[in-house]
Amino acid sequence: MSEPQLDVRAIQPRDRHPQIFGTFESLAVGGAFILVNDHDPKPLYYHFNAERAGTFGWEYLEDGPEVWRVRISRTA
């Protein structure tokens, strides 16, 4: 079964993090989704680390220069 993708490129920037965190919260432990973005989501990684340290996995699948794809998983 393939993991769902969340493409945030068409979402207003102010609405992206709430959408992403909502998707993460809906995951069961062991679940994951693929984030698709138009820039390196490194600030999002820091946001996750500040609020959800130890509960998520972060794996770059594609790192630009036009599209970034990150597999975000729920580990706890």
Side-chain angles (χ1 to χ4, degrees):
M1 183 169 97
S2 65
E3 295 165 335
Q5 288 198 60
L6 176 59
D7 187 339
V8 298
R9 294 176 289 182
I11 299 173
Q12 289 292 322
R14 71 176 181 270
D15 297 328
R16 290 179 181 184
H17 283 206
Q19 178 85 30
I20 294 164
F21 276 94
T23 300
F24 177 79
E25 291 301 325
S26 73
L27 294 173
V29 173
F33 68 98
I34 308 300
L35 174 68
V36 181
N37 206 349
D38 57 5
H39 64 274
D40 187 351
K42 188 59 95 173
L44 177 66
Y45 172 81
Y46 294 128
H47 192 172
F48 262 96
N49 205 38
E51 294 189 10
R52 308 290 194 289
T55 67
F56 73 99
W58 185 275
E59 177 187 1
Y60 281 97
L61 303 175
E62 185 175 350
D63 59 351
E66 294 180 22
V67 175
W68 279 257
R69 294 175 61 240
V70 178
R71 181 179 186 270
I72 300 173
S73 57
R74 188 166 192 162
T75 59

